[in-house]
C-alpha cells in the first residue's frame, strides 16, 4: 500500500465528511480484519491517524466528526492490533507493528488530539495490559468535554 493510495483514501474521507460515522465504521472493520497482512493493517492505521490529524484543520466542514468516531473505536482497534503479537508472525514484523503503533501514539500526543491518559489506555490495550474501567470512564468524560469544546470552536470557525 503506497502513500499515494493512503492520500487518495484520506481525500475520499474528507470529501464525504457528512458520512464520517459510516466511513469510520468501514475503516474500523478494515482495521479489525485479522485475515490481512500486517503491512496492510499498518497502512490502515496510518490512514486513521492522517484522518485524525486533518480533522483538526480549519476549512473542512464537518471534519471534526472524525475525531469522536476515531476516539470511540480506537480502544478496540489497538486491542486487536496487540493480539497480532500472539499470531504466528515473525519477530521483525512484530517489531514493525510496535514501531508503527508507537509512532502513531507519539504523534497523537504531540498533536494534543487526546489527553495523555487516553493515549496511555490505548498503549495498554495494545500491550495487553489491564485497563481500569473507572479510569477509562473518567477519561471518556473528560474527552467528551474537550471534544464538545473543539467541535463548537470548529463550527464557529467554519461558519
Amino acid at each position: 500500500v503506497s502513500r499515494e493510495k493512503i492520500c487518495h483514501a484520506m481525500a475520499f474521507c474528507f470529501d464525504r465528511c457528512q458520512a464520517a460515522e459510516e466511513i469510520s465504521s468501514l475503516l474500523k472493520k478494515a482495521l479489525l480484519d485479522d485475515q490481512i497482512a500486517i503491512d496492510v493493517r499498518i497502512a490502515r492505521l496510518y490512514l486513521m491517524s492522517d484522518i485524525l490529524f486533518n480533522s483538526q484543520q480549519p476549512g473542512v466542514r464537518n471534519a471534526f466528526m472524525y475525531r469522536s468516531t476515531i476516539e470511540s473505536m480506537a480502544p478496540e482497534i489497538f486491542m486487536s492490533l496487540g493480539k497480532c503479537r500472539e499470531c504466528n508472525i515473525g519477530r521483525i514484523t512484530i517489531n514493525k507493528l510496535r514501531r508503527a503503533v508507537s509512532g502513531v501514539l507519539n504523534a497523537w500526543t504531540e498533536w494534543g488530539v487526546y489527553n495523555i491518559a487516553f493515549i496511555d489506555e490505548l498503549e495498554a490495550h495494545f500491550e495487553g495490559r489491564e485497563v481500569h474501567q473507572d479510569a477509562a470512564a473518567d477519561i471518556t468524560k473528560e474527552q467528551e468535554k474537550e471534544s464538545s469544546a473543539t467541535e463548537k470552536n470548529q463550527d464557529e470557525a467554519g461558519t
Side-chain angles (χ1 to χ4, degrees):
V1 177
S2 68
R3 288 182 188 210
E4 184 179 338
K5 287 183 180 181
I6 292 173
C7 185
H8 285 297
M10 189 175 58
F12 173 88
C13 294
F14 286 107
D15 287 345
R16 292 156 184 83
C17 286
Q18 72 281 5
E21 286 185 37
E22 294 84 358
I23 292 171
S24 295
S25 176
L26 291 171
L27 181 57
K28 177 183 174 182
K29 287 178 186 173
L31 276 158
L32 294 177
D33 183 356
D34 60 359
Q35 300 301 312
I36 58 168
I38 295 296
D39 286 342
V40 175
R41 290 183 83 182
I42 290 171
R44 291 173 180 173
L45 177 66
Y46 288 146
L47 171 61
M48 182 175 75
S49 185
D50 287 349
I51 291 168
L52 182 60
F53 176 78
N54 287 293
S55 70
Q56 301 180 95
Q57 307 308 313
V60 182
R61 191 158 184 78
N62 296 323
F64 67 89
M65 294 172 61
Y66 282 107
R67 184 179 186 271
S68 59
T69 58
I70 289 172
E71 179 180 333
S72 68
M73 66 186 194
E76 187 177 357
I77 289 169
F78 281 87
M79 193 178 307
S80 173
L81 290 171
K83 288 179 182 176
C84 290
R85 294 175 298 124
E86 300 165 6
C87 300
N88 191 19
I89 56 177
R91 184 177 41 101
I92 293 172
T93 304
I94 292 297
N95 287 336
K96 186 176 184 178
L97 177 61
R98 273 199 179 107
R99 283 191 306 274
V101 167
S102 178
V104 164
L105 293 177
N106 287 337
W108 291 3
T109 301
E110 268 184 45
W111 303 336
V113 291
Y114 300 124
N115 66 46
I116 299 298
F118 183 66
I119 300 292
D120 290 344
E121 177 188 336
L122 296 177
E123 183 177 25
H125 282 303
F126 176 72
E127 294 295 336
R129 296 189 316 258
E130 186 176 324
V131 176
H132 300 288
Q133 292 304 332
D134 292 340
D138 291 342
I139 292 167
T140 302
K141 287 177 188 174
E142 184 179 325
Q143 288 173 339
E144 286 173 358
K145 289 178 189 176
E146 292 173 5
S147 182
S148 293
T150 302
E151 290 170 6
K152 182 180 176 186
N153 291 340
Q154 289 181 343
D155 275 345
E156 290 172 358
T159 326

